[in-house]
C-alpha cells in the first residue's frame, strides 16, 4: 500500500499565504465553544479520543451531545472493517448539510481511516468542506490545526512514517475508576488481512519507567483498574535498548499495588511461559486473557500470516488453563477468509469445542484495500459465510452461557462502574474474569470492589445481589 509522504499529504489552499503573513490566531477564540466527538473502532481509538478531548478542553471547549450544537466536529475513525468506512462517510453526509447552514463549523477527521491514501483522496473530492485531516501519529498537532482552520484554510497532515513516542500527554479520561494506559504503539506482524501496520506504523514501546509512573499517578488519584494497551502488548520491549519484555512490565505494574490490571491484545505467537508465570503470581493481575484465534485451520492460518498452528494454539491455551487459577479466555474469529472451505471451518469449530471460550468476537472477512488478503481469490458466496457465522455464534453463545451458569450461587468480586442502563435500581460492574454483572446494590458502591452473590446467568451477563457485610 502506498501512502502519501509528508510533503504530498500536507494540503494548503491559497488562503495559507494570508495565514503565514498574519500572527498566530489566539486560542482564546475557542473559549466556551462546544465540540462533538464521535469515536469508531477499538480500545486504542477510544484512548486516542481521550487525548483529543484533553486538547479540546485545554482550548477552553466543552463537549456536547448533539451534532447541531457543535462549533468543532471531530470524527475519530477506524479502518479495520469496511462497514466502519461506510458509517463514517454516511455520517459525513449529515455533516455536509450542517456545514451549509453553518459554514464556520470546523470539521476534523482523524484516526486510522485518514491514513489511507484512497480515503484522503475521497475526502478531498467528495467532502472538500472538511477543514482538518490528521493521522494516528500526530494527534498532538490537532491544536495547531484548529488554529489554522480559524484562518480559513484546509489542513491535511497525514504521516506515512511512525511518529515519536510522546510522554506526559494530557488525557480527559472517560472514567475516574478505570483507565487505559498505552504501552506500545503500532504492529509489526503484518497479518495479511489487517491494515493496522499500515495505519499505525511499526511497533514503538514506551519506556518501562514512564508506564509505571503513569500507573502510580493513576493509583494516587483513586483509580481502581488499568488496562495496558497495544495492538500486540506481548511484543512490548523488543525495540528498546534495555533488556525488558512484557512479563517484566507486567510485574513492575503489579508491584505498584493498583487493585486491578488487565491487558489487550495478545498475539499467541509472542505469549511466553514467563508471562503466564507472572499472571499466575500476582493477585492484582486479572485472570482474563483475550487470545485471538482467527481460524482453526492450519492452511488458513498460513494464508493469514498468523505464524502458529492449530495445535500450537491449543497447547498454549491448555497451558494457561493449567497454570492460571480461574482464568477466562476469550478470542477473535474470522469466518469466510478467502479460500476457506467447509473442512477449514470445521477445524475452527473443533477448536471452539475444545476450548469452550468464555466469549468471542466473530466476524465475516472484510477485505481492506492494500492488504494482501484483499487480492486473494474469494469464491465463497456471502450466504454461505453468513450460515457459518450463525453456526459459530451458536456454539460460542452456548459455551459463554455455560461458563456464566457455573457462577450461579458463587460469591465473586465485582468492580462497580456505574448505574445499570436497563435498571436504575441496580449498578453494574465486572468480575476479575471480565464478566458483566448487574447488581442489586446502592449507588454508593460505584468505584468499589464488592462481593456479589450471583443469582442468575444469561449468555452475556450475570445478575447478583450484594453479599452483606463483605466489602473489599
Amino acid at each position: 500500500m502506498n501512502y502519501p509522504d509528508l510533503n504530498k499529504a500536507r494540503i494548503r489552499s491559497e488562503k495559507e499565504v494570508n495565514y503565514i503573513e498574519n500572527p498566530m490566531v489566539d486560542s482564546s477564540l475557542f473559549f466556551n465553544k462546544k465540540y462533538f466527538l464521535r469515536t469508531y473502532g477499538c480500545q486504542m481509538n477510544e484512548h486516542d479520543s481521550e487525548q483529543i478531548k484533553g486538547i479540546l478542553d485545554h482550548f477552553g471547549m466543552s463537549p456536547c451531545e448533539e451534532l447541531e450544537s457543535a462549533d468543532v466536529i471531530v470524527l475519530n475513525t477506524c479502518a479495520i472493517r469496511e462497514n466502519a468506512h461506510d458509517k463514517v462517510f454516511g455520517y459525513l453526509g449529515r455533516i455536509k448539510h450542517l456545514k451549509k447552514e453553518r459554514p464556520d463549523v470546523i470539521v476534523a477527521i482523524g484516526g486510522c481511516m485518514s491514513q489511507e491514501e484512497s480515503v484522503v483522496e475521497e475526502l478531498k473530492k467528495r467532502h472538500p468542506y472538511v477543514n482538518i485531516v490528521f493521522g494516528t501519529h500526530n494527534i498532538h498537532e490537532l491544536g495547531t490545526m484548529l488554529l489554522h482552520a480559524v484562518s480559513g484554510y484546509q489542513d491535511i497532515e497525514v504521516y506515512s512514517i511512525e511518529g515519536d513516542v510522546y510522554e506526559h500527554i494530557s488525557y480527559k479520561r472517560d472514567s475516574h475508576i478505570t483507565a487505559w494506559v498505552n504501552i506500545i504503539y503500532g504492529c509489526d506482524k503484518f497479518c495479511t488481512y489487517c491494515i493496522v501496520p499500515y495505519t499505525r506504523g511499526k511497533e514503538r514501546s514506551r519506556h518501562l519507567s514512564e508506564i509505571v509512573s503513569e500507573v502510580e499517578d493513576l493509583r494516587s488519584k483513586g483509580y481502581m483498574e488499568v488496562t495496558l494497551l497495544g495492538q500486540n502488548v506481548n511484543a512490548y520491549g523488543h525495540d528498546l535498548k534495555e533488556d525488558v519484555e512484557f512479563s517484566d512490565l507486567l510485574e513492575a505494574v503489579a508491584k505498584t499495588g493498583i487493585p486491578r490490571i488487565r491487558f489487550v491484545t495478545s498475539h499467541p505467537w509472542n505469549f511466553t511461559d514467563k508471562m503466564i508465570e507472572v499472571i499466575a503470581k500476582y493477585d492484582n493481575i486479572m485472570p482474563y486473557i483475550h487470545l485471538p484465534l482467527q481460524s482453526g485451520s492450519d492452511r488458513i492460518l498460513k494464508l493469514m500470516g498468523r505464524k502458529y498452528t492449530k495445535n500450537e494454539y491449543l497447547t498454549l491455551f491448555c497451558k494457561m488453563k493449567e497454570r492460571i487459577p480461574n482464568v477466562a479466555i476469550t478470542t477473535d474469529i474470522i469466518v469466510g477468509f478467502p479460500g476457506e472451505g467447509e473442512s477449514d471451518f470445521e477445524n475452527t469449530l473443533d477448536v471452539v469445542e475444545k476450548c469452550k471460550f468464555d466469549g468471542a468476537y466473530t466476524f465475516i472477512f472484510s477485505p481492506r484495500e492494500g492488504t494482501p488478503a484483499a487480492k486473494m481469490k474469494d469464491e465463497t458466496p456471502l450466504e454461505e459465510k453468513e450460515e457459518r457465522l450463525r453456526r459459530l455464534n451458536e456454539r460460542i453463545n452456548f459455551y459463554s452461557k455455560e461458563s456464566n451458569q457455573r457462577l450461579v450461587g458463587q460469591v465473586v468480586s465485582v468492580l462497580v462502574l456505574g448505574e445499570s442502563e436497563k435498571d436504575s435500581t441496580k449498578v453494574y460492574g465486572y468480575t476479575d474474569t471480565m464478566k458483566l454483572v448487574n447488581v442489586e446494590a446502592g449507588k454508593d458502591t460505584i468505584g468499589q470492589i464488592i462481593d456479589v452473590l450471583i443469582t442468575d446467568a444469561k449468555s452475556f451477563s450475570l445478575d447478583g445481589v450484594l453479599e452483606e457485610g463483605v466489602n473489599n
Side-chain angles (χ1 to χ4, degrees):
M1 179 180 290
N2 295 318
Y3 289 91
D5 63 30
L6 182 58
N7 292 326
K8 290 181 181 178
R10 193 171 178 85
I11 310 298
R12 294 285 186 264
S13 73
E14 294 179 359
K15 294 183 179 180
E16 178 180 19
V17 177
N18 294 330
Y19 170 78
I20 293 174
E21 292 175 350
N22 290 334
M24 179 64 75
V25 177
D26 188 350
S27 63
S28 65
L29 289 173
F30 291 94
F31 287 172
N32 297 321
K33 300 292 186 180
K34 295 187 180 297
Y35 68 86
F36 176 91
L37 172 61
R38 192 175 183 90
T39 305
Y40 301 82
C42 66
Q43 299 99 328
M44 189 71 77
N45 278 34
E46 291 178 23
H47 193 37
D48 286 347
S49 285
E50 291 182 333
Q51 183 182 352
I52 291 169
K53 284 183 279 190
I55 292 169
L56 298 176
D57 276 31
H58 180 74
F59 270 53
M61 302 184 69
S62 60
C64 64
E65 297 295 326
E66 296 182 356
L67 181 72
E68 290 75 16
S69 301
D71 301 290
V72 174
I73 298 168
V74 184
L75 303 185
N76 188 15
T77 66
C78 171
I80 296 297
R81 299 187 61 76
E82 188 174 8
N83 64 351
H85 173 282
D86 295 341
K87 286 180 180 178
V88 170
F89 277 94
Y91 206 76
L92 278 171
R94 180 179 172 187
I95 294 174
K96 182 178 181 179
H97 291 296
L98 177 63
K99 189 79 170 179
K100 289 180 179 178
E101 297 175 3
R102 297 175 55 207
D104 291 339
V105 172
I106 295 173
V107 180
I109 309 295
C112 293
M113 263 181 54
S114 64
Q115 301 237 175
E116 297 182 75
E117 184 176 12
S118 61
V119 170
V120 174
E121 292 304 316
E122 189 173 0
L123 285 170
K124 287 159 57 179
K125 181 178 180 180
R126 293 177 52 193
H127 303 279
Y129 58 85
V130 171
N131 305 91
I132 298 168
V133 184
F134 60 98
T136 58
H137 312 308
N138 62 326
I139 295 173
H140 60 282
E141 292 196 336
L142 177 58
T144 301
M145 292 179 165
L146 286 170
L147 298 175
H148 291 178
V150 171
S151 288
Y153 69 89
Q154 189 181 51
D155 203 348
I156 299 179
E157 183 90 50
V158 183
Y159 287 176
S160 59
I161 59 174
E162 294 76 16
D164 296 326
V165 173
Y166 289 88
E167 295 294 352
H168 312 295
I169 294 171
S170 295
Y171 294 104
K172 182 181 179 183
R173 299 187 184 271
D174 292 332
S175 169
H176 63 279
I177 303 168
T178 65
W180 306 110
V181 176
N182 269 330
I183 68 167
I184 184 170
Y185 301 89
C187 184
D188 290 355
K189 290 297 177 285
F190 286 92
C191 299
T192 59
Y193 55 83
C194 185
I195 201 166
V196 167
Y198 304 97
T199 59
R200 289 193 174 267
K202 68 181 182 181
E203 291 166 351
R204 292 100 64 211
S205 302
R206 294 177 63 195
H207 289 289
L208 185 147
S209 60
E210 294 286 354
I211 298 167
V212 170
S213 178
E214 183 176 348
V215 173
E216 288 174 338
D217 179 62
L218 289 165
R219 185 191 175 204
S220 71
K221 292 175 178 175
Y223 280 81
M224 299 294 288
E225 178 180 291
V226 294
T227 299
L228 307 180
L229 192 61
Q231 306 299 151
N232 177 19
V233 290
N234 43 353
Y236 172 81
H238 76 92
D239 57 316
L240 298 176
K241 292 181 180 179
E242 56 261 44
D243 184 17
V244 62
E245 60 184 56
F246 184 54
S247 58
D248 302 313
L249 173 64
L250 261 183
E251 189 157 29
V253 173
K255 289 178 178 178
T256 65
I258 195 155
R260 285 188 167 193
I261 301 162
R262 302 189 188 276
F263 57 89
V264 289
T265 294
S266 304
H267 194 298
W269 188 18
N270 295 115
F271 219 109
T272 65
D273 287 351
K274 189 177 177 183
M275 285 175 58
I276 295 174
E277 291 169 7
V278 171
I279 295 167
K281 179 179 178 181
Y282 290 92
D283 290 338
N284 60 342
I285 301 178
M286 297 297 95
Y288 167 77
I289 298 169
H290 187 70
L291 192 71
L293 169 67
Q294 306 302 6
S295 174
S297 163
D298 288 347
R299 188 177 70 86
I300 297 301
L301 286 170
K302 187 174 182 179
L303 287 173
M304 289 178 167
R306 292 294 287 175
K307 296 182 173 61
Y308 55 82
T309 65
K310 172 184 175 180
N311 283 338
E312 287 170 341
Y313 184 95
L314 288 171
T315 298
L316 176 60
F317 181 95
C318 292
K319 194 181 296 184
M320 291 175 175
K321 284 289 187 178
E322 290 169 2
R323 298 185 185 178
I324 305 173
N326 193 39
V327 69
I329 302 175
T330 57
T331 196
D332 294 337
I333 297 174
I334 296 172
V335 168
F337 190 81
E340 180 190 72
E342 182 61 24
S343 62
D344 298 305
F345 178 66
E346 289 292 340
N347 270 296
T348 297
L349 288 181
D350 183 57
V351 175
V352 172
E353 295 290 341
K354 286 182 168 67
C355 294
K356 298 177 174 58
F357 294 108
D358 287 76
Y361 296 98
T362 59
F363 313 91
I364 292 177
F365 170 73
S366 176
R368 303 310 299 140
E369 181 184 349
T371 61
K375 300 177 182 178
M376 295 180 184
K377 193 173 183 180
D378 183 7
E379 297 179 337
T380 306
L382 177 60
E383 295 78 10
E384 188 171 339
K385 294 179 183 181
E386 290 174 339
E387 175 59 18
R388 288 177 187 170
L389 183 66
R390 185 197 63 76
R391 290 161 57 196
L392 174 64
N393 285 338
E394 185 178 79
R395 301 312 298 161
I396 292 291
N397 294 344
F398 175 83
Y399 289 122
S400 177
K401 186 171 184 178
E402 185 179 72
S403 172
N404 286 347
Q405 285 175 330
R406 286 195 293 269
L407 293 176
V408 174
Q410 294 189 30
V411 175
V412 298
S413 295
V414 174
L415 174 56
V416 182
L417 299 182
E419 181 181 302
S420 174
E421 292 183 0
K422 295 184 178 180
D423 187 343
S424 61
T425 66
K426 297 181 180 180
V427 293
Y428 80 95
Y430 288 88
T431 67
D432 56 355
T433 54
M434 205 60 183
K435 294 183 183 296
L436 173 64
V437 186
N438 292 295
V439 189
E440 293 180 11
K443 306 299 185 296
D444 59 333
T445 61
I446 294 174
Q448 298 181 35
I449 297 175
I450 61 174
D451 286 328
V452 175
L453 174 65
I454 301 302
T455 57
D456 190 24
K458 304 176 179 66
S459 293
F460 307 109
S461 66
L462 300 161
D463 291 332
V465 296
L466 182 65
E467 182 75 351
E468 293 297 338
V470 186
N471 275 5
N472 292 334

